[in-house]
């Protein structure tokens, strides 16, 4: 469907140069002779942006004109990364820009790296949302994303003396990718009270009155699909005082501070992304953010629907709303409120529409991540919504009681209201009751939610409401953009880049597994990618690493359940083992670089201790001349999407080692395998399906299974805990002060030795160490290793985000792509 010379294409490099120079001279008001790399980035971005806008407008017109069902993806997080490289590749004109920039004296890489990451997310959940946007546009689905325009995205991480420090991430300067829509605003109400009254027909109605109002202003971001004319929209809401002005009366009376107070309070709502991954803290401002964003988005969606003059009963035929976790659950309550209070529908009719509209994706079974809001907080902030929640609960519990008479325990378990002090609103329960489909993100995870946290709901609704859609990643960013050389080699062998839109075509690569030349090229590319990472490591840490070592990578949010502590204890074990070796034995050691990266939530003490331990070990090991290149330990500061694009193509092995049953899916496991790295992992999340696809012989699995975890924890609790002897030796070394003041690591060690080892570090330690020994052994047979690497990539077709998007479209949204042939 890609027509030659579409509006987004430059017909020649000269045309690109003309547009570039025009923007430098007019939009930026600079001279070409006074143009630095940042200006080169801006000029290039603006030249491409012009082209995207044309397709963006056309896409929106086409979608409105054809009036097909649309998908709205509601996510509090969109971890987008950089946009320019992606835009150039999707449009297909990166080479033209490279040549044009070279003519003007710039390297395209230098321009690209000027861009600030759009880091409006914490980790997997936000990055999944970004992959969805890319895929929905590429597949021509009429789809919008709705999120918040945080002034500060996820904090920047600095490592100072081994400790994580947080620095604000102000990312909005020089951002050409957003378009303020000052004409698209919505007044959002908070607080106040509810008045009951009867209308002229005697019907009891509710009106939500007074309180305070904050204005939501739309900012739009174009989302180009890969080689398609579709450019979808991501709408981010920014908060502003409703009047938009400060209070002149107070100002004139000399009360300068409170003159701007309202404005500042209002702007606080969209000021900052909460930096917690898999953890909810129940703060009022977070609830305000959630309602602000849900209400603005719903107002927008309803307004668009009303323009079509259709009957309300057709709403679910026109609108599918996907809830990315429970964060947007208030949208369910808000739609019910709009339908009954504003549009005057009867409760049952409105509720049918709500259920037909929403789908809910669960991303975690961790109890600390399941959202609950206190009833008094909700009563104060959203009094009408709390009433509606109570009504939803009443009707729901009545229906449950009919089916399960006299089962009071069941009623209290499934109730939306938890009878605690204070009472709490369980958001996941609203999300399940108000959606027609609930999905998990990998098979094991989807089974677990059905058998544990949502078990009662499966009994109530039957199994059909619950489904699985295993996560995926976009091959455009995570192969083509991150690893252009590998993408080009694959294209050469497969006769083109079609695999980027049909990843199952990769299977043809298997015919080349035994081709010596192909293997050589494959391994050369890995070597170059490792060199690129070694340079980044040198720049960031000052440490030189030998690129011929085995690069062992674990990059993701730091969390006890993800078990970076298991990894660093393993590294210490390795260090001790090498130290104890004779020179003869050392000759057989495979040199290794253990690379870590990831942020800890600012208030998460254990995670911060893990970072400190990694850096403390690095400080000792990397300076130990007796060890030299046999082992190096690296912590990459401020891990983000752009760094992931350099790290993923450079791993030999990466670690996905969560306690079984805790990682819902994981998506970096997919990124590493797609880039030809092997993985070591537990039987958890999508690791299980990766194993099924690529074959057991191509992955290093270890550790206890999810079905055994509860038993083990139970045994630990009742005195059956025995510390693994090898881990004991590691602890003794830490306690002896080898890595600095041992008291800094007390809580890490005591959580295992004394407090039940909840994450089963000790139980899995032996098999973890043994599996790493296998990794070393197999890495020495490079030919076999290469065969595993190529075979694995060839079998990764299933993990394309396009497969995921099509599954959601078919089984949850019931939407069709918009035919764009003209
Ligand atoms: O589904 C995307 C991603 C999964 O791959 C990770 O396994 C999972 O931990 C993550 N979940 C969250 C949960 N946060 N909340 N709420 O980020 O989702």
């Amino acid at each position: 469907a890609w027509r030659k010379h579409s509006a987004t294409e430059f017909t020649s490099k000269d045309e690109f140069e003309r547009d570039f120079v025009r923007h430098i001279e007019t939009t930026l008001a600079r001279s070409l002779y006074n143009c630095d790399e940042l200006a080169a980035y801006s000029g290039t971005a603006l030249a491409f942006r012009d082209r995207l806008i044309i397709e963006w407008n056309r896409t929106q017109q086409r979608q409105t004109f054809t009036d097909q069902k649309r998908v709205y993806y509601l996510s509090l997080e969109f971890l987008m990364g950089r946009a320019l490289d992606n835009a150039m590749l999707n449009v297909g004109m990166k080479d033209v820009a490279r040549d044009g920039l070279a003519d003007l004296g710039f390297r395209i890489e230098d321009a690209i790296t000027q861009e600030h990451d759009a880091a409006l997310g914490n980790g997997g959940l936000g990055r999944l949302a970004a992959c969805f946007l890319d895929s929905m546009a590429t597949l021509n689905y009429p789809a919008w994303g709705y999120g918040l325009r945080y002034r500060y995205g996820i904090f920047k991480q600095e490592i100072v003396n081994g400790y994580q420090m947080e620095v604000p991430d102000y990312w909005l300067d020089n951002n050409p990718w957003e378009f303020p829509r000052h004409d698209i605003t919505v007044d959002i109400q908070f607080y106040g009270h509810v008045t009951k009254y009867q209308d002229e027909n005697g019907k009891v109605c509710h009106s939500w009155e007074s309180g305070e109002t904050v204005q939501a202003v739309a900012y739009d971001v174009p989302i180009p699909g890969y080689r398609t004319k579709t450019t979808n929209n991501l709408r981010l809401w920014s908060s502003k005082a409703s009047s938009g002005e400060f209070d002149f009366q107070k100002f004139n009376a000399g009360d300068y501070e409170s003159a701007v107070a309202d404005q500042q309070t209002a702007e606080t709502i969209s000021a900052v992304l909460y930096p917690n991954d898999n953890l909810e803290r129940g703060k009022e401002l977070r609830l305000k953010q959630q309602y602000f964003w849900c209400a603005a988005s719903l107002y927008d969606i309803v307004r668009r629907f009303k323009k079509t003059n259709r009957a309300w009963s057709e709403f679910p035929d026109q609108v599918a709303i996907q809830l990315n976790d429970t964060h947007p659950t208030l949208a369910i309550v808000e739609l019910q409120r709009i339908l009954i209070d504003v549009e005057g529908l009867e409760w049952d009719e409105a509720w049918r529409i709500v259920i037909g509209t929403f789908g809910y994706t669960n991303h975690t079974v961790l109890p600390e991540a399941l959202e609950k809001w206190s009833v008094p907080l909700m009563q104060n902030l959203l009094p009408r919504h709390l009433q509606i929640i109570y009504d939803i609960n009443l009707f729901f519990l009545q229906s449950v009681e009919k089916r399960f008479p006299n089962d009071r325990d069941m009623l209290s378990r499934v109730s939306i209201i938890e009878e605690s002090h204070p009472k709490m609103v369980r958001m996941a329960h609203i999300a399940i009751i108000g959606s027609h489909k609930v999905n998990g993100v990998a098979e094991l995870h989807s089974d677990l939610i059905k058998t544990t946290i949502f078990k009662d709901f499966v009994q109530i609704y039957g199994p059909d409401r619950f489904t699985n859609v295993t996560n995926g990643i976009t091959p455009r960013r995570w192969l083509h953009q991150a690893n252009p050389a590998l993408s080009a080699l694959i294209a050469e062998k497969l006769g083109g880049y079609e695999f980027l839109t049909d990843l199952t075509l990769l299977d043809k690569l298997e015919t080349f597994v035994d081709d010596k030349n192909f293997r050589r090229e494959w391994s050369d590319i890995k070597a170059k990618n490792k060199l690129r990472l070694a340079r980044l490591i040198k720049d960031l840490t000052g440490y030189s690493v030998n690129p011929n070592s085995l690069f062992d990578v674990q990059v993701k949010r730091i969390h006890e359940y993800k078990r970076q502590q298991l990894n660093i204890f393993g590294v210490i074990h390795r260090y001790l083992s090498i130290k104890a070796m004779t020179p003869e034995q050392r000759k057989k050691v495979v040199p290794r670089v253990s690379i870590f990266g990831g942020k800890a939530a600012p208030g998460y003490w254990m995670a911060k201790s893990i970072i400190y331990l990694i850096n403390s070990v690095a400080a000792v090991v990397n300076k130990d001349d007796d060890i030299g290149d046999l082992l190096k330990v690296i912590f990459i500061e401020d891990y983000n999407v752009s760094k992931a694009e350099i790290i993923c193509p450079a791993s030999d092995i990466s670690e996905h080692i969560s306690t079984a049953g805790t990682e819902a899916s994981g998506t970096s496991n997919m990124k590493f395998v797609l880039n030809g790295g092997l993985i070591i992992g537990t039987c958890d999340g999508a690791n299980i399906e990766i194993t099924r696809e690529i074959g057991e012989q191509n992955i290093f699995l270890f550790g206890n299974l999810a079905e055994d975890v509860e038993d083990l924890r139970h045994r630990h609790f009742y005195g059956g805990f025995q510390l693994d002897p090898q881990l004991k030796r590691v602890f003794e070394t830490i306690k002896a002060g080898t890595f600095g003041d041992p008291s800094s690591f007390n809580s890490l060690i005591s959580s295992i030795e004394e407090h039940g080892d909840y994450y089963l570090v000790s139980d899995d330690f032996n098999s973890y160490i043994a599996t790493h020994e296998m990794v070393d052994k197999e890495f020495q047979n490079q030919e076999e290793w290469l065969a595993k690497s190529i075979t694995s990539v060839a079998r990764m077709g299933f993990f394309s985000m396009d497969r995921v998007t099509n599954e959601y479209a078919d089984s949850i949204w019931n939407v069709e792509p918009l035919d764009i042939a003209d």
Side-chain angles (χ1 to χ4, degrees), residues 96 121 139 162 179 189 202 221-222 225 312 322 332 530 552 593 596 605 640 736 742 784 791 814:
V96 171
L139 296 171
F179 291 82
Q189 195 179 342
V221 181
W312 279 111
Q322 192 64 28
I332 289 178
K530 287 172 73 177
D552 170 357
V593 185
F596 295 81
W605 169 252
N640 60 12
E784 264 303 300
T791 310
N814 194 24

Side-chain angles (χ1 to χ4, degrees), residues 678 697-698 700 778 784-793:
L678 305 192
Q697 67 287 6
N698 296 316
F700 297 94
E778 299 206 10
E784 264 303 300
W785 188 275
L786 278 168
K788 285 178 194 290
S789 162
I790 297 166
T791 310
S792 301
V793 174

Side-chain angles (χ1 to χ4, degrees), residues 77 123-126 128 276-280 325-327 361-364 369 441 471 561-562 662-667:
E77 303 189 10
L125 173 141
L128 189 79
N276 302 317
D277 182 80
N278 271 293
L279 178 76
E280 280 304 326
D325 217 275
T326 53
H327 316 149
T361 306
N362 172 281
H363 294 269
T364 184
V441 289
N471 282 343
Y561 88 80
K562 294 180 189 279
T662 61
E663 186 72 274
S665 160
T667 42

Side-chain angles (χ1 to χ4, degrees), residues 487-664:
S487 185
L489 176 63
I490 294 172
E492 184 196 314
K493 290 296 164 198
L494 304 189
Y497 282 99
E498 280 71 26
F499 64 95
L500 291 175
T501 42
D502 177 1
L503 205 62
T504 60
L505 293 174
L506 286 180
D507 64 1
K508 310 252 170 354
L509 279 180
E510 284 211 46
T511 48
F512 300 98
V513 171
D514 296 323
D515 177 332
K516 279 238 158 61
N517 288 333
F518 180 66
R519 281 194 190 178
R520 209 45 51 229
E521 287 179 83
W522 192 270
S523 115
D524 286 351
I525 289 169
K526 179 62 79 182
K528 284 193 184 122
N529 288 332
K530 287 172 73 177
L531 212 59
R532 180 170 70 154
L533 177 56
R535 278 197 297 269
L536 179 74
I537 289 173
K538 177 79 185 163
D539 283 352
L540 292 172
T541 67
Y543 290 125
S544 301
V545 297
N546 178 356
N548 296 323
S549 314
L550 189 162
F551 277 17
D552 170 357
V553 183
Q554 188 177 17
V555 283
K556 47 186 85 218
R557 285 300 288 251
I558 311 290
H559 210 298
E560 286 164 280
Y561 88 80
K562 294 180 189 279
R563 298 203 296 188
Q564 285 91 352
Q565 70 276 40
L566 173 61
N567 187 343
I568 192 64
F569 294 149
V571 170
I572 297 173
H573 174 272
R574 175 175 290 265
Y575 177 61
L576 297 177
S577 308
I578 300 173
K579 291 290 278 180
M581 284 179 188
T582 63
E584 238 1 79
Q585 287 171 317
R586 287 186 186 193
K587 281 190 191 147
K588 295 197 192 115
V589 170
V590 177
R592 191 180 276 238
V593 185
S594 280
I595 300 164
F596 295 81
K599 295 176 187 180
Y604 189 177
W605 169 252
M606 282 297 221
K608 289 184 144 178
S609 305
I610 295 172
I611 293 179
Y612 184 60
L613 178 59
I614 295 168
N615 285 313
S616 303
V617 173
V620 172
V621 172
N622 297 352
K623 278 198 213 103
D624 188 339
D625 291 338
D626 178 43
I627 292 293
D629 271 355
L630 292 184
L631 182 62
K632 286 273 179 280
V633 183
I634 299 296
F635 189 90
I636 295 182
E637 193 176 62
D638 200 38
Y639 174 64
N640 60 12
V641 171
S642 298
K643 292 202 175 113
E645 288 166 18
I646 296 172
I647 296 167
C648 291
S651 86
D652 293 305
I653 193 120
S654 63
E655 311 236 355
H656 309 276
I657 58 176
S658 48
T659 313
T662 61
E663 186 72 274

Side-chain angles (χ1 to χ4, degrees), residues 92 135 177 181 197 202 227 271 289 294 296 326 341 373 379 438 574 594 601 623 664 745 800:
S135 202
W177 303 108
R181 305 286 196 196
Y197 66 97
R227 308 297 164 92
Q289 286 188 335
C294 289
T326 53
D341 286 2
W373 291 106
Q379 165 73 49
V438 177
R574 175 175 290 265
S594 280
K623 278 198 213 103
F745 312 116
S800 168

